[in-house]
Amino acid sequence: MARVSELRELITYHNDRYFGDDDPEISDADFDELVRELGALEAEHPELAASRSVLDVPGAPVATTFAPVTHRLAMTSLDNAMDVAELRAWGDRVTKGLAGQAARFVCELKIDGLALSIRFENGVLVQAATRGDGKVGEDVTANVRTISGVPARLSKSSASPTATVLEVRGEVYMSKPAFERFRQEKLQENQVRVAAGKKPQPVPANPRNAGAGSLRQKDAAVTATRELSMWAYQLGEVQGGPAFTSHHDTLEYLRACGFPINPEVRIVNSLDEVVEFCAHWQEHRNELPYIIDGVVVKVDDLAQRERL
């Protein structure tokens, strides 16, 4: 009971540091270990499980800096597999859930940035919000409008005129080159401050912190100077839009609408190919111009997803 209580406090604290302050104190791997330990203890001792576990809260409470935005469709968190055995166990559950029916998978790089939901009405960007706690996020519309990769209006040649609402979800991030330029600027500014007898300002430790902090600036003009980028990876709410049967079709639609789609997305026909994809990027991740912290694997067929 004491360890469960301690783990809940630690997870809540580090969640707030990561999502709320953009300044984590521990690595993602160390945080995942805390989450897995609590999950195991709650499963072993159900009498200690809370009515709403901290494991069900994908993020941190909304800060008071920005207006709250209630997501019409919750931005849920991902389950994870820490090794090949756990990945194959998930694949077995998929096969069992589909009664042996074959499944095709989509593999995507997991970008280490800040999850975002952007709402378009009649093809025009009207609102952008962070994930927050999954149900309520922060309104960062003005800041997102400054990101060059985010269209202010959907491409008329591809966006259906009947798509009155289109919610696009993706990851905002700062590339490695942009981070290095930003870091050098901060270091130079601090040299000037110290020479003038002033206290130096904090320098972000990595691109994820720098990108998240840049997006959540009170002044959108500051965000505009930070060279932020975005990859779109999923649809949220859609009203009156085209019907889709597969996840990769939604990505092609988003690409046609003017959104950047990561070029490393792959459609594969077996879990063996998923394992190969993961192994490849585990070896080559440092060759990318941006930071990744894993691979996201999705069942491609949307009807199969609903069934599962």
Side-chain angles (χ1 to χ4, degrees):
M1 185 181 298
R3 181 57 177 165
V4 166
S5 178
E6 179 184 26
L7 285 167
R8 287 172 180 163
E9 290 182 7
L10 284 170
I11 290 169
T12 299
Y13 172 77
H14 289 299
N15 239 348
D16 290 344
R17 294 286 300 185
Y18 186 91
F19 291 102
D21 300 335
D22 302 321
D23 188 20
E25 292 183 358
I26 61 175
S27 69
D28 288 352
D30 289 341
F31 179 80
D32 286 343
E33 284 301 317
L34 296 176
V35 169
R36 291 161 70 83
E37 183 182 353
L38 177 59
L41 287 173
E42 288 186 343
E44 185 178 353
H45 303 281
E47 72 278 6
L48 299 181
S51 58
R52 178 165 167 75
S53 173
V54 296
L55 303 180
D56 299 327
V57 183
V62 175
T64 57
T65 306
F66 302 94
V69 173
T70 300
H71 299 298
R72 291 167 176 82
L73 292 178
M75 297 184 71
T76 53
S77 59
L78 297 169
D79 198 357
N80 59 27
M82 305 303 290
D83 53 41
V84 173
E86 291 186 3
L87 178 59
R88 291 194 181 281
W90 172 77
D92 291 342
R93 293 196 298 275
V94 169
T95 300
K96 183 178 179 181
L98 297 176
Q101 185 182 34
R104 185 164 59 177
F105 304 98
V106 177
C107 298
E108 306 171 14
L109 300 181
K110 187 173 181 295
I111 312 301
D112 193 10
L114 190 71
L116 193 70
S117 183
I118 309 174
R119 184 179 179 86
F120 291 81
E121 295 181 358
N122 299 314
V124 178
L125 193 161
V126 296
Q127 189 176 69
T130 62
R131 184 173 69 170
D133 66 359
K135 294 183 177 180
V136 180
E138 299 169 320
D139 189 328
V140 289
T141 307
N143 301 40
V144 169
R145 290 185 189 278
T146 70
I147 301 175
S148 60
V150 177
R153 184 181 294 272
L154 301 180
S155 301
K156 291 183 179 180
S157 60
S158 56
S160 169
T162 59
T164 55
V165 173
L166 186 71
E167 190 179 43
V168 180
R169 292 180 172 176
E171 198 85 359
V172 171
Y173 67 98
M174 182 177 287
S175 69
K176 292 177 182 176
F179 170 68
E180 190 55 35
R181 286 190 289 271
F182 175 55
R183 182 174 174 277
Q184 290 302 321
E185 290 174 2
K186 281 294 183 184
L187 291 173
Q188 292 173 7
E189 289 175 6
N190 280 342
Q191 288 179 351
V192 174
R193 292 179 64 87
V194 171
K198 298 180 180 179
K199 183 178 179 180
Q201 295 181 335
V203 178
N206 54 60
R208 193 274 168 190
N209 293 1
S214 297
L215 181 65
R216 299 171 72 245
Q217 289 288 317
K218 295 180 181 179
D219 185 355
V222 175
T223 302
T225 68
R226 299 290 176 83
E227 298 184 76
L228 295 180
S229 302
M230 176 191 174
W231 296 119
Y233 56 64
Q234 193 158 307
L235 289 176
E237 182 184 18
V238 178
Q239 293 183 18
F244 300 104
T245 59
S246 68
H247 175 65
H248 76 265
D249 283 345
T250 69
L251 295 181
E252 288 306 312
Y253 177 74
L254 287 172
R255 191 195 309 276
C257 286
F259 282 91
I261 305 298
N262 190 277
E264 307 303 338
V265 174
R266 294 290 181 272
I267 304 169
V268 300
N269 295 309
S270 70
L271 203 70
D272 285 341
E273 293 176 90
V274 172
V275 172
E276 291 175 4
F277 185 91
C278 293
H280 173 82
W281 286 111
Q282 185 170 0
E283 180 180 352
H284 296 282
R285 61 189 297 179
N286 292 328
E287 299 170 17
L288 293 165
Y290 45 84
I291 302 293
I292 65 171
D293 57 355
V295 167
V296 180
V297 186
K298 302 174 181 177
V299 172
D300 188 36
D301 187 288
L302 300 182
Q304 287 185 334
R305 284 195 195 180
E306 290 301 315
R307 181 177 177 182
L308 289 166

